[in-house]
Amino acid sequence: MPSLPSMPRPGAGRRDVREPDVPRVPVPVARAVVDCGVYVDGVRLPGRFGYVEAIEEVRRRGEGYVWVGLLDPDQHQMDEVSRVFGLHPLTVEDTLVTHTRPKVDRFDDTLFLILKTVNYVGHDRTDPMARIVETGEVMVLVGPDHVITVRHGDHGSLRRVRRNLEANPELLTLGPSAVMHAVADHVVDTYVAVSDLLEDDIDRVEEDVFRAGARTQVDEIYQLKRDIVELRRGIHPLSHALKRLTCDFGDIIPHEIQRYFSDVLDHQAMVADHVETYNDVLSSLIDAAVAKIGMQQNEDMRKMSAIIGLVAVPTMIAGIYGMNFDNMPELHWTYGYFIVLAVMAAACLGLFVVFRKIKWL
């Protein structure tokens, strides 16, 4: 018997066709630069500088420093900035990672500070998953002749910080660490403003929970609780970083700037206490709201039971007289129909009075 020809295996004779790797065109660093300035004796030099020309100008003069602001840089852009300014590879890695806890590190003569930025958005009652407070990051790298600020997120702009510093040359003369203090002070001030707005929201929710007869919206409480927890994660770790900036790094940070950091630490501690209080209040409100919802459900069940009781009596009587037996009392009586209706009405009225008296209706 002739052998059958072997069938090809599925996929046999095919070659995996892969799309050729398209080389990624690197984005110039200038696309990520928000602003770049050269500061000598607390005054910004006139003209526009690229980050390379700026650091060359400072090193040629032998005085002053550069402040470069970056927005959402990628790996290639940070590598180029690192090459020009001589940054440690670990700082480059940390500047590209978002959702990092606040901290301060030292790499040789460079300080690296990570701050969480916050922005109050407000309630969106149509979307329970919407954020009330948005978060982002600001990284500050301070070296002997440069300050590099890296910002992630759509908020947390530092334009006002730069403008206020340029209007106060005395602070800029204290060196690059003065910029780090100004950024930290600005971020902590936003904590204070956001915490005040959240306090108003919590007060309003608290009034709704304890208002008589009002329906409790637990979703709104959970929204606040979720964002308060997120805010606490960004604020509490900052206290350790600020304490280090007030006590350590005396060879990099002038004593006057360390005093300013102490003031920032006081504000941060105040906001941290407020946030902790808000967290406890919201936990209590959740317990109160759950208890209130349980009471509301019990009240609804009582009303439903009362209504069922009112309907049950005429239903029972109608069911008895609907059994169609021949020998039933008053079945052929002339006034039986009206007497049965009267009994139904009287029973329902009596039950209604009883339920109203015990506040089931």
Side-chain angles (χ1 to χ4, degrees):
M1 181 176 180
S3 60
L4 296 176
S6 60
M7 299 298 293
R9 288 174 290 123
R14 297 180 184 175
R15 291 185 301 173
D16 293 335
V17 179
R18 297 182 180 179
E19 295 182 359
D21 295 334
V22 179
R24 183 178 178 182
V25 179
V27 181
V29 180
R31 295 283 296 275
V33 175
V34 178
D35 198 354
C36 180
V38 177
Y39 299 87
V40 178
D41 295 330
V43 179
R44 180 170 181 168
L45 296 183
R48 298 176 62 89
F49 292 90
Y51 70 101
V52 178
E53 295 81 9
I55 193 64
E56 290 177 350
E57 178 68 18
V58 168
R59 291 170 180 172
R60 184 185 65 81
R61 287 173 172 266
E63 59 178 351
Y65 56 91
V66 179
W67 180 2
V68 181
L70 303 175
L71 175 61
D72 292 326
D74 58 20
Q75 180 73 53
H76 166 74
Q77 292 167 338
M78 282 306 304
D79 288 341
E80 287 297 312
V81 172
S82 173
R83 180 183 59 81
V84 172
F85 290 92
L87 303 179
H88 195 280
L90 291 178
T91 62
V92 177
E93 179 181 348
D94 286 343
T95 54
L96 297 173
V97 178
T98 58
H99 305 293
T100 307
R101 291 169 62 89
K103 65 175 183 177
V104 61
D105 289 325
R106 178 172 181 173
F107 300 93
D108 298 328
D109 56 355
T110 301
L111 283 179
F112 180 50
L113 176 64
I114 299 179
L115 299 162
K116 297 287 288 187
T117 59
V118 296
N119 180 47
Y120 180 82
V121 180
H123 287 276
D124 184 359
R125 299 179 183 274
T126 62
D127 185 7
M129 299 303 296
R131 307 295 303 191
I132 301 174
V133 176
E134 295 177 343
T135 59
E137 289 84 24
V138 169
M139 292 85 165
V140 186
L141 296 98
V142 173
D145 55 4
H146 62 268
V147 179
I148 302 173
T149 55
V150 181
R151 181 164 59 92
H152 294 283
D154 296 331
H155 60 276
S157 174
L158 302 177
R159 293 184 184 276
R160 188 174 67 179
V161 177
R162 188 185 290 264
R163 185 168 59 249
N164 292 340
L165 281 175
E166 291 176 356
N168 191 0
E170 294 181 359
L171 286 177
L172 288 175
T173 57
L174 296 177
S177 58
V179 178
M180 176 179 283
H181 160 262
V183 173
D185 186 55
H186 170 72
V187 171
V188 173
D189 285 344
T190 60
Y191 292 166
V192 176
V194 170
S195 67
D196 291 341
L197 294 172
L198 288 173
E199 183 178 10
D200 295 337
D201 288 339
I202 294 172
D203 291 341
R204 179 177 51 79
V205 171
E206 188 175 13
E207 292 177 0
D208 293 340
V209 170
F210 294 104
R211 183 188 304 154
R215 287 286 177 176
T216 302
Q217 300 295 331
V218 183
D219 290 342
E220 191 171 357
I221 302 177
Y222 279 118
Q223 275 185 299
L224 284 168
K225 178 73 171 179
R226 178 195 59 197
D227 286 8
I228 285 293
V229 171
E230 181 71 18
L231 188 62
R232 185 177 63 174
R233 290 174 181 170
I235 292 178
H236 277 265
L238 182 59
S239 61
H240 177 67
L242 292 176
K243 286 178 183 178
R244 293 188 64 192
L245 290 172
T246 59
C247 303
D248 303 338
F249 318 123
D251 57 330
I252 299 178
I253 303 177
H255 184 65
E256 187 68 20
I257 297 297
Q258 288 186 324
R259 289 181 179 178
Y260 290 149
F261 274 118
S262 297
D263 182 67
V264 177
L265 178 61
D266 292 339
H267 292 170
Q268 184 272 342
M270 178 189 67
V271 177
D273 291 341
H274 289 174
V275 170
E276 194 64 36
T277 302
Y278 299 158
N279 187 55
D280 294 339
V281 169
L282 287 173
S283 297
S284 301
L285 286 179
I286 290 175
D287 295 337
V290 171
K292 187 177 180 180
I293 290 174
M295 294 176 61
Q296 291 172 350
Q297 290 176 344
N298 290 335
E299 183 178 353
D300 294 339
M301 289 299 297
R302 287 198 301 265
K303 290 181 179 180
M304 293 175 62
S305 300
I307 293 172
I308 292 173
L310 291 175
V311 176
V313 173
T315 302
M316 180 188 66
I317 297 175
I320 292 173
Y321 278 90
M323 290 188 293
N324 297 323
F325 288 107
D326 290 335
N327 298 320
M328 293 182 68
E330 293 84 28
L331 186 63
H332 300 287
W333 188 31
T334 304
Y335 301 103
Y337 172 72
F338 302 101
I339 294 299
V340 170
L341 290 181
V343 170
M344 289 182 180
C348 291
L349 180 61
L351 289 174
F352 179 79
V353 172
V354 172
F355 289 144
R356 288 286 292 181
K357 186 175 182 179
I358 64 177
K359 296 182 179 180
W360 279 35
L361 284 175

